[in-house]
Amino acid sequence: MYVVTGATGNTGSEVVKSLLAKGQKVRAVGRSLERLQPYVAEGAEAFVADLSDAAALTQAFKGIQAVYLMLPPNVAAPDVRGHQSLVTTALATAVRQAAVKYAVVLSSIGADKEEKTGPVVGLYELEQTLNSVPGLNVLYLRAGYFMENTMAQAGIISAMGKTAGPLRADLKLPMIATRDIGAAAAEALIKLDFKDHQTRELLGQRDLTMNEVTAIIAKAISRPDLQYAQLPDAHLRPAFLQMGLSADMTDLLLEMAGSLNSGYMKALEERSARNTTPTSYETFVVEEFVPTFKGKSQAA
Ligand SMILES: NC(=O)c1ccc[n+]([C@@H]2O[C@H](COP(=O)([O-])OP(=O)(O)OC[C@H]3O[C@@H](n4cnc5c(N)ncnc54)[C@H](OP(=O)(O)O)[C@@H]3O)[C@@H](O)[C@H]2O)c1
């Protein structure tokens, strides 16, 4: 039996599907039975629990082969780091109490740094905390920048006629589709060929700049003049707040963007076959971005 946290999310859903496709038993953890239902229909066992509930998670983790762990984002939390710490403590407590032997954990580039990486400091803390659990073999998948982050550009294009954000236009970023993270995590869970504490970066199909991202979107939506604008923090802060992010999350995201822009937060591994994953941004745009963009354009 495998346990998958965040089972209804971007990466967790892929982990569940991949494991089920390989004939494995899966316990899918989420907060709502209703949202877990599609995975139950595919053969998973539903386990309803909040990831801050160590006692419930201990029950979920007892006697299992391995677990997929991720720290759920809570963008509206007034104290984002506090929420991350709460979940981290509960996950580590449950892993220890249930004597879990193997965990594959979603982390991020930048999780090597103790500070100044915004929400990724929470992943540094998660790694450090799990490293202190005796007898746990753990693989940290340090993923690059999610292609899914660029979905917000669908609304921005509709509203502003351009793509925009805090990142430098010419900053090369490893961009990854979350489906590739899920597939890599499922493969690691099946193989269980890691020992003690290991990290592996997942850097997507290639590095891309926001100018390149914009050019790919421009071609796919037939807007050849589409341009990217890097906006100052003072301009972005009210926009993030309006989107429902807490003031704390807004500050953390702007801190992270600054650290990416300066090169302080970056991938540490050379690109290789091992850390390169298949889905190109062109494929992501055709399959995910364009349908959403068309939906928004029609609704407008
Ligand atoms: N964005 C990036 O560029 C990037 C890059 C590297 C790493 N990361 C990391 O990736 C992680 C997010 O992964 P993801 O995109 O797969 O997650 P996601 O799609 O946001 O899904 C998280 C899932 O967790 C569940 N959840 C939320 N709060 C919960 C709680 N309190 N208790 C139990 N379940 C809860 C939700 O399901 P229910 O609502 O059904 O419970 C949700 O579907 C974060 O840790 C982030 O730092 C992000």
Side-chain angles (χ1 to χ4, degrees), residues 8-11 31 35 50-51 70-73 106-107 144 146 149:
T8 63
N10 290 318
T11 60
R31 291 167 299 175
R35 282 196 294 275
D50 194 286
L51 292 183
M70 56 98 238
L71 206 53
L106 176 55
S107 186
F146 289 1
N149 297 342

Side-chain angles (χ1 to χ4, degrees), residues 156-180:
I156 296 170
I157 295 167
S158 300
M160 297 173 63
K162 57 187 171 189
T163 59
L167 296 172
R168 265 174 34 217
D170 63 347
L171 175 72
K172 282 272 187 196
L173 271 182
M175 286 199 193
I176 185 162
T178 53
R179 67 177 86 158
D180 289 355

Side-chain angles (χ1 to χ4, degrees), residues 5-13 29-36 39 47-53 57 68-74 83-84 87 106-109 119-120 122-123 126 141-149 174 176 178 181 202 249 253 256 260 265:
T5 62
T8 63
N10 290 318
T11 60
S13 60
V29 180
R31 291 167 299 175
S32 142
L33 195 54
E34 200 186 336
R35 282 196 294 275
L36 289 167
Y39 307 94
F47 193 99
V48 176
D50 194 286
L51 292 183
S52 59
D53 184 345
L57 294 177
Y68 175 70
L69 297 177
M70 56 98 238
L71 206 53
N74 186 346
H83 179 261
Q84 289 177 322
V87 173
L106 176 55
S107 186
S108 171
I109 60 164
V120 175
L123 298 174
L126 179 67
L141 297 177
R142 288 189 178 162
Y145 188 85
F146 289 1
M147 291 179 186
E148 281 75 2
N149 297 342
I176 185 162
T178 53
I181 301 172
L202 292 176
M249 189 63 180
L253 284 181
M256 181 177 78
L260 286 166
M265 178 176 162

Side-chain angles (χ1 to χ4, degrees), residues 36-191:
L36 289 167
Q37 211 49 52
Y39 307 94
V40 173
E42 288 179 34
E45 176 191 309
F47 193 99
V48 176
D50 194 286
L51 292 183
S52 59
D53 184 345
L57 294 177
T58 303
Q59 288 309 314
F61 293 176
K62 269 194 185 145
I64 62 167
Q65 218 161 345
V67 64
Y68 175 70
L69 297 177
M70 56 98 238
L71 206 53
N74 186 346
V75 298
D79 175 10
V80 172
R81 289 280 303 107
H83 179 261
Q84 289 177 322
S85 294
L86 192 74
V87 173
T88 291
T89 302
L91 291 175
T93 303
V95 164
R96 195 178 60 248
Q97 286 179 347
V100 174
K101 289 279 164 290
Y102 289 95
V104 172
V105 180
L106 176 55
S107 186
S108 171
I109 60 164
D112 54 299
K113 305 274 193 301
E114 198 174 347
E115 57 175 8
K116 300 200 172 68
T117 59
V120 175
V121 173
L123 298 174
Y124 167 86
E125 181 189 42
L126 179 67
E127 290 194 9
Q128 299 302 313
T129 308
L130 291 172
N131 285 347
S132 70
V133 177
L136 178 67
N137 299 293
V138 54
L139 174 66
Y140 300 108
L141 297 177
R142 288 189 178 162
Y145 188 85
F146 289 1
M147 291 179 186
E148 281 75 2
N149 297 342
T150 68
M151 292 300 282
Q153 298 298 338
I156 296 170
I157 295 167
S158 300
M160 297 173 63
K162 57 187 171 189
T163 59
L167 296 172
R168 265 174 34 217
D170 63 347
L171 175 72
K172 282 272 187 196
L173 271 182
M175 286 199 193
I176 185 162
T178 53
R179 67 177 86 158
D180 289 355
I181 301 172
E187 196 188 323
L189 287 163
I190 299 272
K191 285 190 182 159

Side-chain angles (χ1 to χ4, degrees), residues 10 145-158 210 213 217 243 281 284-294 296:
N10 290 318
Y145 188 85
F146 289 1
M147 291 179 186
E148 281 75 2
N149 297 342
T150 68
M151 292 300 282
Q153 298 298 338
I156 296 170
I157 295 167
S158 300
M210 285 310 293
V213 160
I217 294 173
M243 285 161 63
Y281 191 64
F284 174 82
V285 166
V286 169
E287 293 180 2
E288 313 268 344
F289 186 89
V290 171
T292 300
F293 179 75
K294 283 195 176 147
K296 277 195 191 302

